[in-house]
Amino acid sequence: MDDPTGVDRHRTRMRRKKEVVDAKIAAAQADRGVLLVLTGNGKGKSSSAFGMVARALGHGMKVGVAQFIKGRSDTGEEGFFRRHPGVHWHVLGEGFTWETQNLARDTETAQRGWAVARELLRDPGLGLVVLDELTYPLKYGWLDIETALADLAARPRMQHVVITGRAAPAALIAAADTVTELRDVKHAFRAGVRAQQGVDL
Ligand code: ATP
Ligand code: MG
């Protein structure tokens, strides 16, 4: 055997792999706004979206954020990004919670919220728009999915949109360019650890 340590074989394999990857990179040359959906039961949907907010701001882009379910008012990302002059931050979910049991009011709140989101989706100055927890009003029928998809499709060509929330409807997944389902393998909460600053809020 001429290659007892396998070095040559490894080099050949890596070169082939690089050729395949290079060809894929060469084939992906389009620039356009992408629609991302971060869904699933695992932790990391909203925090991933806010990571992209930091990336966009780092490139000097302007960002719109709309929060559809207002779980808490003391999150670190809100405290940090609200102060940033490049961020337009809107809390649209005040008033509806799991407990309201008031469909008419929840629907009205969601509609009003969508009117604000639509403004963000019509603003060509915004390079990134985050619609945090949008899947819930869609799932519960407070917001019409066809209306939402039409407004998303009509957004500026270069605008990126990130939608987060569990149980993303199939029509939203079909319309998206990039979809990640975060899987819940373990969560400290189930071992009795309450929400920790810097991790969960
Ligand atoms: P994060 O904001 O931390 O990225 P998320 O957006 O994926 O979380 P949400 O469903 O919006 O998840 O819930 C937000 C809060 O619930 C966070 O405090 C998060 O740590 C917690 N959480 C998320 N997933 C789980 C889970 N599987 N079990 C328990 N708590 C969770
Ligand atoms: Mg979230």
Side-chain angles (χ1 to χ4, degrees), residues 41-48 133 136 166 184 187 189-190 195 199-201:
N41 292 331
K43 177 201 159 21
K45 299 175 289 295
S46 297
S47 40
S48 169
E133 322 294 347
Y136 301 96
R166 298 178 190 205
D184 180 21
H187 196 291
F189 177 73
R190 291 198 289 281
V199 175
D200 300 293
L201 69 148

Side-chain angles (χ1 to χ4, degrees), residues 12-172:
T12 306
R13 272 195 9 221
M14 291 313 280
R15 194 175 53 230
R16 275 200 207 114
K17 210 169 248 178
K18 182 172 164 14
E19 280 164 12
V20 171
V21 173
D22 285 350
K24 282 182 184 163
I25 292 171
Q29 290 293 324
D31 286 315
R32 66 167 170 84
V34 292
L35 175 59
L36 300 95
V37 172
L38 302 171
T39 191
N41 292 331
K43 177 201 159 21
K45 299 175 289 295
S46 297
S47 40
S48 169
F50 293 123
M52 281 180 259
V53 172
R55 284 186 167 176
L57 293 173
H59 289 292
M61 293 157 70
K62 297 223 178 312
V63 178
V65 177
Q67 288 192 298
F68 280 83
I69 299 283
K70 188 55 185 166
R72 47 199 314 158
S73 57
D74 56 349
T75 62
E77 57 268 22
E78 181 168 356
F80 184 73
F81 287 123
R82 241 192 207 284
R83 289 195 299 251
H84 197 291
V87 178
H88 303 243
W89 193 286
H90 301 275
V91 177
L92 310 174
E94 230 97 59
F96 62 65
T97 68
W98 311 116
E99 287 86 36
T100 61
Q101 311 265 327
N102 184 334
L103 181 64
R105 206 182 75 192
D106 290 342
T107 301
E108 196 191 303
T109 310
Q111 306 286 331
R112 250 187 292 125
W114 187 255
V116 176
R118 184 183 279 143
E119 292 305 309
L120 301 177
L121 295 173
R122 285 182 179 169
D123 184 347
L126 298 177
L128 175 69
V129 172
V130 174
L131 304 175
D132 192 34
E133 322 294 347
L134 176 67
T135 57
Y136 301 96
L138 294 175
K139 179 181 168 196
Y140 288 99
W142 304 330
L143 233 170
D144 175 42
I145 179 107
E146 294 308 326
T147 305
L149 291 178
D151 289 328
L152 285 164
R155 74 189 192 278
R157 211 187 77 81
M158 279 310 299
Q159 186 183 75
H160 306 298
V161 178
V162 188
I163 294 172
T164 82
R166 298 178 190 205
L172 179 62

